[in-house]
Amino acid sequence: MPSTLAGLLSSSSIRVNPDPPSPSTPIADSISTIHAFLSKWDPHTSLSSGFLSAASHLHSYLLHLSTSSANSAHRELVRTNSLLQSAMRRLDQELKHHLLAISDAQSTADQISTVRAIVETMLSTGYGEECITTYQSIRRSAVTSQLKQLGFDISLNLSRKLFKVSWEALDHQTKLWIDASSRAVCRVFYSERQLSDTIFGASPEPIRDSVFASVVADIASTFFSFPETISVRARNSPERLFSILDMHEKITNLIPDIEVLFGCEPTAMVLSKVTSAITNLIDAARMSLNEFEKAVRKAKPHSSPGGGILSLSRYVMNYLVCLFDYEASLHMILGIMPQEMNTSSFDIQISDDWYGSPVSVRIAWLIHVLLQKLESMAESYRDVALSYLFLVNNLQYVVKKVKDSSLKDSLGEEWVVAQEKKVRRYMEGHVRSAWANVSAALPVKEEEHVERVREFEMVFQKAMKERESWVIVDERMREEVRQLVEGMVVPAYRGWYQVYRRTMEVRFTPEFIRSRILGLYEDPDSRSGSNSSSSSVSGSGSNSSNSAKLLCRLGCYMSQEGDLSVRHQEELDEARKGELLLQYHSRDDVAQQGEVSLRVQIEDVDSSISE
């Protein structure tokens, strides 16, 4: 037992006046009562209040004898002291028996009252250390057992053992700790505080605090050292960040209750351990975020089949969506950590009004890092058109994840609009670079040469073969690109076909060309299937106008006389106004455009967003 508690007991014990016992209660009666109790003691029978009174009376008599100078007093003192020791040993057994029957402060009033009476008797007769040693031993076992029932085994979660446990087992123990923490604080530790305050209610507050500390301080310190140990092991593991944030959120929410329970001086070590755990959790979260960013930057460049969504994009965005669920903890963590970011390279200038919090800034920055990585990975494609398609799919996926989650409220509408514009620029870049050569190979009305027809057929077949595995994951964008490509190729081909199909052998009908185009870009993972065989770019209203505008931007909307699906000339004139026309005046231009660095093209696309 701590010497400080022993000192408190020595200075605070209830003292009895060493005057002779009152004649109304002969000492012989008290001795007789004690002898009778000792000879017939049975822990299963009720404890007589007369025995407790007799023990106190015997202690008073002992103090009186200790001050007497009579010759016979020494022998009587030895005999009385021996009898009192025997009584206290039995009383200690009674205390153990009744303590084992108590679960917490909500036990029956009779149980609590009996234990309190025993404790007060032992304290008043000078056996406080023995009393508290027994109390501490039994209640420590009870607290440890209650925590084990909650799933947290103290013996298995000592710091020295946790460093040897596998991550799989550690993840399981972390979940158990998170589930147990609220009940451990608000039920186990709180009930123990109530119980000690009730049983030692007659003692001064310092003794009550010290008794409570002797029972739970070490156990609570071990309990709260668990997140600290996990944080040390997980600080370089981005995949463990969510466990770190779960523990940080849980422990910070419990701070008010922890401060009430462990605010006294004897339990200061527990508060110190909690503070240390929070500090280490914050440090681990900061380092995990930095490691996550490094992992994204260092991801090995590789392409996705058909220009589809990269696994990196899915991982990062799912990670960030989950991360934003911890906004409160992140705000606390990011508010005190340095933001080591070159925000000047953001697509949109950061402003407090737009982002609103350090969490938004950090999330936006990590998405920015991902987009930079995607642009770098796009360089691994030898085909510029496929590079654009890769960027279309992945950036569209990023935007959709933001729009479908709480990230949209954090990043703001301005960010979403800017990225959607970039997606459309990439889409236009894909259509232009993928299909301009096919459009340029189309025979025109004045050309009747069979060689030109065969050239187109060869170019078209080659394009179909090369692009049969290309995908556009977003269904609406897939249909839009199909219609754009159809508008670039089919109307002009149909106009020529209607004029010359009877004068020469033509292998492909306009319907065949159209059906092949509308079968492109199918996502094998799409559940909806393809209903595009019946879709067409012809029509009226805003959709028609938008298609015409895009085709004009691509420089590949070439009207043909007799083409039944060509838009009205007024619509074309209107679509051309104020648009950036990217005309290909010759097939030489089409061939050269594939030689331009994709990075330069991306920069051109980015710069045009702000125009």
Side-chain angles (χ1 to χ4, degrees):
M1 183 181 305
S3 59
T4 53
L5 181 54
L8 286 172
L9 291 171
S10 176
S11 62
S12 303
S13 295
I14 300 175
R15 297 296 182 186
V16 179
N17 194 316
D19 292 334
S22 170
S24 63
T25 310
I27 191 61
D29 291 348
S30 295
I31 293 174
S32 176
T33 300
I34 292 174
H35 276 300
F37 174 82
L38 294 178
S39 62
K40 299 178 181 180
W41 179 74
D42 182 353
H44 300 291
T45 59
S46 299
L47 180 64
S48 170
S49 59
F51 172 75
L52 298 178
S53 298
S56 297
H57 191 202
L58 191 63
H59 179 253
S60 299
Y61 181 61
L62 185 66
L63 294 177
H64 169 70
L65 290 174
S66 66
T67 61
S68 175
S69 59
N71 293 332
S72 61
H74 178 70
R75 292 191 299 272
E76 184 70 9
L77 179 66
V78 172
R79 186 177 71 86
T80 303
N81 185 59
S82 177
L83 181 61
L84 184 61
Q85 287 180 347
S86 297
M88 289 301 106
R89 282 195 294 269
R90 290 291 183 266
L91 203 56
D92 188 61
Q93 290 178 293
E94 282 282 333
L95 179 61
K96 290 178 182 177
H97 171 70
H98 288 283
L99 279 175
L100 289 172
I102 291 177
S103 57
D104 53 36
Q106 303 304 317
S107 300
T108 65
D110 287 344
Q111 289 174 319
I112 300 293
S113 177
T114 298
V115 171
R116 176 167 174 161
I118 294 173
V119 166
E120 290 177 358
T121 299
M122 293 185 73
L123 290 176
S124 67
T125 55
Y127 285 82
E129 288 193 31
E130 292 81 355
C131 169
I132 292 177
T133 297
T134 298
Y135 181 87
Q136 174 189 3
S137 174
I138 293 176
R139 291 315 304 168
R140 280 176 64 87
S141 296
V143 171
T144 301
S145 176
Q146 291 176 58
L147 291 178
K148 190 172 183 178
Q149 291 175 7
L150 295 179
F152 188 84
D153 191 336
I154 292 292
S155 63
L156 298 178
N157 289 281
L158 300 175
S159 296
R160 64 177 183 275
K161 293 184 178 181
L162 292 176
F163 281 100
K164 302 177 183 179
V165 177
S166 67
W167 267 117
E168 182 180 0
L170 211 54
D171 288 338
H172 177 67
Q173 288 173 238
T174 299
K175 183 179 184 302
L176 292 177
W177 186 93
I178 292 170
D179 293 340
S181 56
S182 293
R183 286 175 289 175
V185 172
C186 300
R187 194 177 80 186
V188 178
F189 297 148
Y190 176 74
S191 295
E192 198 60 34
R193 178 82 218 202
Q194 282 187 312
L195 184 64
S196 62
D197 283 352
T198 301
I199 291 176
F200 291 86
S203 300
E205 184 178 6
I207 289 183
R208 297 199 303 270
D209 291 342
S210 295
V211 170
F212 173 67
S214 71
V215 173
V216 303
D218 290 344
I219 298 174
S221 294
T222 301
F223 184 81
F224 290 118
S225 70
F226 178 84
E228 182 176 15
T229 304
I230 299 300
S231 66
V232 172
R233 286 195 60 177
R235 60 181 55 193
N236 292 319
S237 303
E239 64 274 14
R240 297 301 184 300
L241 176 58
F242 298 106
S243 294
I244 294 295
L245 293 175
D246 279 331
M247 288 190 289
H248 179 272
E249 183 176 66
K250 182 65 70 172
I251 200 169
T252 51
N253 288 340
L254 289 171
I255 283 294
D257 297 306
I258 292 173
E259 288 178 339
V260 170
L261 284 173
F262 303 103
C264 59
E265 192 277 332
T267 56
M269 61 179 293
V270 179
L271 278 182
S272 176
K273 181 60 66 176
V274 171
T275 301
S276 178
I278 292 176
T279 300
N280 278 276
L281 287 170
I282 290 174
D283 187 52
R286 177 182 62 82
M287 296 185 69
S288 294
L289 276 175
N290 290 339
E291 287 298 319
F292 175 73
E293 180 179 333
K294 290 178 183 178
V296 176
R297 292 185 182 277
K298 294 179 179 180
K300 294 182 179 179
H302 66 280
S303 58
S304 178
I309 299 173
L310 202 63
S311 57
L312 177 67
S313 301
R314 297 183 187 276
Y315 175 77
V316 171
M317 290 310 300
N318 287 330
Y319 190 98
L320 295 180
V321 169
C322 293
L323 190 62
F324 196 72
D325 290 339
Y326 298 88
E327 184 178 10
S329 289
L330 284 173
H331 187 81
M332 183 183 302
I333 293 168
L334 297 176
I336 63 174
M337 67 178 284
Q339 303 292 307
E340 299 173 356
M341 304 175 296
N342 180 18
T343 56
S344 61
S345 59
F346 269 163
D347 293 322
I348 299 176
Q349 192 66 31
I350 292 179
S351 66
D352 291 338
D353 292 338
W354 186 68
Y355 281 97
S357 76
V359 180
S360 300
V361 175
R362 189 69 174 186
I363 295 292
W365 173 253
L366 291 172
I367 294 178
H368 177 73
V369 170
L370 171 64
L371 298 184
Q372 283 185 318
K373 189 65 180 180
L374 292 175
E375 291 181 0
S376 174
M377 288 182 170
E379 295 281 358
S380 63
Y381 289 97
R382 299 178 63 182
D383 191 319
V384 174
L386 191 54
S387 298
Y388 275 122
L389 188 60
F390 170 81
L391 291 171
V392 166
N393 280 316
N394 284 272
L395 182 53
Q396 175 65 18
Y397 174 79
V398 170
V399 173
K400 187 176 187 303
K401 291 294 289 186
V402 170
K403 292 175 68 175
D404 293 346
S405 68
S406 54
L407 291 179
K408 181 179 179 181
D409 295 333
S410 175
L411 299 179
E413 186 66 26
E414 184 180 351
W415 185 93
V416 172
V417 170
Q419 302 309 314
E420 286 180 333
K421 287 182 179 179
K422 184 180 284 190
V423 171
R424 295 199 65 82
R425 297 290 187 180
Y426 287 154
M427 183 192 74
E428 294 172 20
H430 164 72
V431 173
R432 181 174 60 249
S433 57
W435 296 99
N437 64 328
V438 178
S439 177
L442 281 166
V444 294
K445 179 180 177 181
E446 293 78 12
E447 293 181 323
E448 301 182 39
H449 303 297
V450 175
E451 292 78 8
R452 183 63 184 272
V453 177
R454 297 295 175 259
E455 179 185 354
F456 169 75
E457 292 172 347
M458 180 182 66
V459 171
F460 182 76
Q461 283 184 305
K462 181 181 179 183
M464 291 297 104
K465 183 177 181 180
E466 291 176 347
R467 294 153 199 179
E468 62 183 359
S469 63
W470 291 11
V471 300
I472 296 179
V473 178
D474 184 79
E475 185 176 2
R476 293 180 62 182
M477 186 164 290
R478 185 193 313 144
E479 293 304 314
E480 185 174 358
V481 170
R482 285 170 173 171
Q483 291 182 13
L484 284 172
V485 175
E486 180 193 0
M488 290 173 63
V489 178
V490 175
Y493 185 77
R494 180 181 285 114
W496 175 89
Y497 178 83
Q498 290 173 345
V499 175
Y500 292 103
R501 62 180 177 172
R502 293 183 179 86
T503 61
M504 66 177 66
E505 180 183 356
V506 183
R507 295 172 59 189
F508 302 147
T509 65
E511 288 69 25
F512 174 80
I513 298 290
R514 179 175 180 273
S515 66
R516 291 296 303 276
I517 291 173
L518 297 184
L520 290 172
Y521 301 111
E522 190 64 41
D523 179 14
D525 296 328
S526 174
R527 297 180 180 179
S528 60
S530 175
N531 299 321
S532 58
S533 58
S534 60
S535 62
S536 172
V537 293
S538 60
S540 60
S542 61
N543 290 337
S544 301
S545 178
N546 289 338
S547 297
K549 288 180 179 180
L550 272 177
L551 289 170
C552 286
R553 289 174 66 112
L554 297 172
C556 301
Y557 197 103
M558 297 178 289
S559 59
Q560 297 284 336
E561 183 178 348
D563 181 3
L564 300 180
S565 65
V566 174
R567 308 292 185 269
H568 295 297
Q569 187 63 41
E570 293 84 356
E571 182 182 298
L572 291 176
D573 293 340
E574 182 65 26
R576 289 190 176 97
K577 292 180 179 179
E579 294 291 346
L580 174 63
L581 302 182
L582 303 175
Q583 298 285 356
Y584 289 100
H585 299 291
S586 69
R587 276 171 286 181
D588 291 337
D589 294 335
V590 175
Q592 292 172 2
Q593 58 98 12
E595 301 174 3
V596 181
S597 166
L598 176 63
R599 177 67 65 184
V600 174
Q601 294 188 49
I602 290 173
E603 291 173 355
D604 291 342
V605 168
D606 291 344
S607 63
S608 64
I609 291 177
S610 59
E611 294 179 357

